[in-house]
């Protein structure tokens, strides 16, 4: 069973706001003993852990195969809201292989995020 996925971020507040807009709930936000901002978000049974780092950060791979997938409700309504907020859509609304609406967007740090219509 997956415990969590952990990512680095340049701006914790901006990245938290992005994932909260997708339905995540921030469970914990602290500063580690090393001085990093850390947050844990709940995403429908899974967890996403974010660490804020200063300076240069490795770039995510631009290909869609490396991504986090999130079930969301009302994807057809959410996608225009995200676009209006400046979120870059990298794969427009289409049917997934399983027959659900899906799209890919970039999070504030350039990671691919698959949005998949929830049941």
């Amino acid at each position: 069973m997956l415990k969590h996925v952990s990512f680095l971020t340049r701006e914790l507040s901006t990245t938290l706001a992005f994932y909260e807009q997708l339905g995540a709930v921030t469970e914990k936000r602290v500063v580690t003993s090393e001085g990093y901002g850390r947050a844990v978000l709940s995403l429908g049974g899974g967890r996403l852990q974010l660490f804020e780092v200063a300076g240069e950060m490795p770039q995510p791979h631009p290909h869609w195969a490396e991504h986090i997938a999130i079930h969301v409700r009302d994807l057809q309504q959410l996608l225009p809201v995200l676009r209006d907020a400046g979120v870059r859509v990298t794969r427009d609304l289409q049917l997934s292989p399983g027959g659900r609406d899906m799209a890919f967007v970039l999070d504030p740090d350039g990671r691919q995020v698959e949005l998949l219509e929830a049941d």
Side-chain angles (χ1 to χ4, degrees), residues 14 17-18 21-22 77-89 105-108:
T14 301
F18 172 82
Q21 190 172 17
L22 301 179
Q77 293 176 354
L78 177 60
L79 206 52
V81 172
L82 294 174
R83 274 195 178 102
D84 289 347
V87 173
R88 183 169 163 220
V89 177
V105 299
L106 295 182
D107 81 0

Side-chain angles (χ1 to χ4, degrees), residues 9-11 14-19 87 106-111 113:
T9 183
R10 288 182 189 93
E11 291 185 23
T14 301
T15 305
L16 284 174
F18 172 82
Y19 284 101
V87 173
L106 295 182
D107 81 0
D109 292 300
R111 280 182 289 270
V113 179

